Amino acid sequence: MDNLPITGLNDLTAHMDALIADPSTRLNAKLFDDIELQLTDANIPPLLTTLLPRLVQILHTTPSDPTTPASLTTKLLRPLSFSQIVSLAPPESLIQALESPFPAANVLAMTILHKAAASPSEVAQLADMQEVVKALVRTWLGSSEVGVGEKGGRVMGDLLDVDCEHEPPARRPQRGQGRGTTGHPLDAGIPTWHDMVVRKEKGEGKLWKRVFADQEVYGLLLDLLAGRHEDTDVTSTTAGHGHGHGQGHDEDAEDRRKEKARQLTLAQGRILRILPRLAALDLEKIARSDLAAPPTPSYYATAEATNGIPQPNGTTSNRPNQNGDDILMNGISNDSQESTPFPLPAPPKQGQGLLHFAALRMVDRNDMLMHLSLIDFFEAFVGLMRVVTPHSEYKVDVVKEILREALLADNDKLLRESLDSLPDRAVDEEREGLRGWLAEVMPVVVGGEERREVVMR
């Protein structure tokens, strides 16, 4: 170790040993930074056995912000593959980092998982780690840190891309390279689909099965998005938090409710941003599912809400009541004195997947910001479906089915206006094609009723 041309290495290892012996020791960030600045791909390998075990232990035990140890760890791991890292640090270490209260540890774990996107076989290796995948889903959707959520979305999207069982799209010259254009059918600053695809070959589909066909993982996903998980459950803030009374107790409960409500909207916004990409990768996997919400009566019993029908607290919901049953708000029945302005969404219908749930049942359209996020989703989804996959009856049917319910059953006039104006915001060469696509998939309303017509292609 003394022969390595790295200044301050002995000081750092001594400091790390002190941190391990007593986690309350003040962390000297400069020692970590000085070593990180000297690392290269050539001198990293001899250091792994010296530094990595110490860093892993410090990341697990330090009560201090681990940003500098996490940054050094990321630099050390740069030359290694996912499988090599897992051989050095067990999956339990990844789970602990994902569950850490410190964003730096979360991002470090996600960076390691992102390495699996280097090949389909490594994504398949990750897919076999059910608890790691569950921790990734929870941290991605359940973290209050915007940077963690954005990182999780990129990681999950790239991993599912590489794992996709379809052949990657053939590369072709970009359109719209002229002045004032974006190269995308929608003038929204989104890269072309071919730029977004990262896989070079067909994947094995194991991570898709883990996320969308594993009851535990898919159930966790739905719970986080529907406000039934502890990270997003607004109802848990109104009761069961001690026996205190008075204004202070009420203010604490209100603060917790707002925190959970914010997290719920963050989770919903994150899934809406990734869904158009997932639909373009494998529409059937997210449009259809043999799984539903967790098979417990309470999940379904507390999920009913009606479209515009007054709720016990005087609010209304734009979520349709699927069964015509009595209305329940967040598990609180009509005769309860408790109230909350956050109606829980109904579970997915039998056979429908995450796409239908997120597009049609997840978002409370009384929340204007979430309604606008939903409209952004529809614009991206409808635009991508036209250009990224071959024209097929199945694709047309799925898009028409979703738009019919969103525009007719839910009577979303703002969404219709936005989609109607979409061609006007497209680049010139895509405008007419987009108008034709919308004419094919959007329901036409005449006299308050849908007019069915055959669109010639």
Side-chain angles (χ1 to χ4, degrees):
M1 186 166 62
D2 293 335
N3 294 327
L4 294 174
I6 296 180
T7 303
L9 186 58
N10 289 332
D11 292 338
L12 176 62
T13 54
H15 179 56
M16 289 195 292
D17 289 339
L19 289 169
I20 293 169
D22 181 6
S24 65
T25 301
R26 184 174 180 180
L27 192 148
N28 188 336
K30 186 176 185 303
L31 291 176
F32 291 89
D33 289 337
D34 288 346
I35 297 302
E36 181 179 348
L37 291 172
Q38 300 175 69
L39 293 181
T40 65
D41 288 350
N43 64 23
I44 282 176
L47 297 175
L48 289 172
T49 56
T50 299
L51 297 182
L52 193 57
R54 289 180 170 92
L55 285 166
V56 169
Q57 194 165 350
I58 290 169
L59 289 169
H60 290 167
T61 59
T62 181
S64 305
D65 183 349
T67 297
T68 47
S71 179
L72 176 58
T73 305
T74 301
K75 188 77 170 286
L76 279 170
L77 297 177
R78 187 175 61 186
L80 302 184
S81 68
F82 174 72
S83 57
Q84 288 174 321
I85 295 172
V86 172
S87 69
L88 297 171
E92 291 76 17
S93 298
L94 292 171
I95 295 172
Q96 288 178 333
L98 287 167
E99 294 177 345
S100 169
F102 296 107
N106 304 153
V107 172
L108 169 62
M110 289 178 174
T111 300
I112 293 172
L113 298 181
H114 205 180
K115 285 177 169 287
S119 71
S121 62
E122 296 214 320
V123 181
Q125 182 181 2
L126 170 60
D128 288 336
M129 305 175 186
Q130 185 198 48
E131 294 302 318
V132 175
V133 176
K134 287 171 62 177
L136 172 60
V137 169
R138 179 176 179 179
T139 303
W140 165 39
L141 298 178
S143 173
S144 61
E145 291 290 328
V146 173
V148 173
E150 291 177 348
K151 179 73 172 181
R154 288 194 299 273
V155 171
M156 184 64 77
D158 287 351
L159 290 171
L160 289 170
D161 184 338
V162 173
D163 192 51
C164 181
E165 295 178 278
H166 299 302
E167 291 285 357
R171 297 284 166 176
R172 61 186 181 183
Q174 292 187 10
R175 293 167 293 178
Q177 293 298 311
R179 185 176 180 181
T181 61
T182 65
H184 187 270
L186 307 180
D187 189 9
I190 305 173
T192 65
W193 173 242
H194 299 84
D195 289 336
M196 294 170 66
V197 171
V198 298
R199 70 186 183 280
K200 303 295 188 296
E201 57 183 316
K202 288 172 57 176
E204 300 181 28
K206 289 187 175 181
L207 186 61
W208 286 85
K209 292 183 178 70
R210 177 64 71 194
V211 175
F212 299 106
D214 181 315
Q215 182 70 67
E216 287 190 37
V217 179
Y218 190 55
L220 170 65
L221 187 69
L222 290 179
D223 282 350
L224 283 160
L225 298 173
R228 294 182 177 87
H229 187 275
E230 61 180 295
D231 291 346
T232 58
D233 182 5
V234 295
T235 68
S236 65
T237 64
T238 60
H241 289 279
H243 302 286
H245 298 282
Q247 182 176 356
H249 175 71
D250 293 341
E251 289 177 353
D252 289 344
E254 179 65 14
D255 288 343
R256 288 192 296 269
R257 183 189 64 77
K258 289 180 179 179
E259 180 183 348
K260 299 292 185 180
R262 177 180 180 275
Q263 192 57 50
L264 178 59
T265 59
L266 284 175
Q268 292 177 349
R270 288 166 187 172
I271 206 70
L272 288 174
R273 281 191 290 275
I274 197 176
L275 269 181
R277 182 182 183 186
L278 299 188
L281 288 170
D282 197 327
L283 179 61
E284 186 172 3
K285 288 284 197 316
I286 63 168
R288 302 289 177 244
S289 176
D290 294 330
L291 302 178
T296 57
S298 62
Y299 190 102
Y300 295 91
T302 62
E304 305 305 333
T306 57
N307 188 12
I309 295 179
Q311 304 298 311
N313 60 352
T315 64
T316 60
S317 171
N318 282 337
R319 298 193 180 99
N321 179 6
Q322 302 301 322
N323 308 330
D325 296 337
D326 291 338
I327 306 304
L328 296 175
M329 289 281 292
N330 288 337
I332 301 170
S333 62
N334 285 350
D335 58 0
S336 171
Q337 297 302 312
E338 298 282 343
S339 65
T340 174
F342 294 94
L344 292 184
K349 289 182 179 180
Q350 186 63 37
Q352 291 184 346
L354 180 63
L355 179 62
H356 291 71
F357 173 71
L360 302 173
R361 275 166 272 288
M362 180 181 75
V363 173
D364 180 10
R365 292 178 180 84
N366 286 322
D367 183 333
M368 180 55 69
L369 290 179
M370 285 308 302
H371 191 193
L372 293 176
S373 294
L374 183 66
I375 290 173
D376 288 343
F377 155 76
F378 270 105
E379 290 186 358
F381 169 67
V382 171
L384 278 174
M385 284 297 95
R386 184 180 79 85
V387 298
V388 302
T389 56
H391 196 285
S392 70
E393 184 176 347
Y394 176 76
K395 179 178 76 171
V396 172
D397 288 345
V398 169
V399 177
K400 290 176 71 172
E401 176 186 18
I402 291 176
L403 289 179
R404 184 177 296 118
E405 184 168 344
L407 296 172
L408 297 180
D410 293 347
N411 193 28
D412 195 330
K413 296 180 180 179
L414 189 60
L415 174 59
R416 176 175 286 277
E417 292 173 0
S418 178
L419 292 177
D420 282 340
S421 68
L422 201 54
D424 297 330
R425 290 177 278 132
V427 295
D428 291 343
E429 58 267 34
E430 296 290 343
R431 192 161 293 149
E432 291 308 312
L434 188 53
R435 282 200 179 96
W437 170 241
L438 290 173
E440 182 175 7
V441 296
M442 283 182 64
V444 178
V445 179
V446 177
E449 296 184 355
E450 180 184 9
R451 184 182 71 194
R452 305 294 180 93
E453 60 182 19
V454 177
V455 178
M456 302 302 294
R457 295 193 292 270

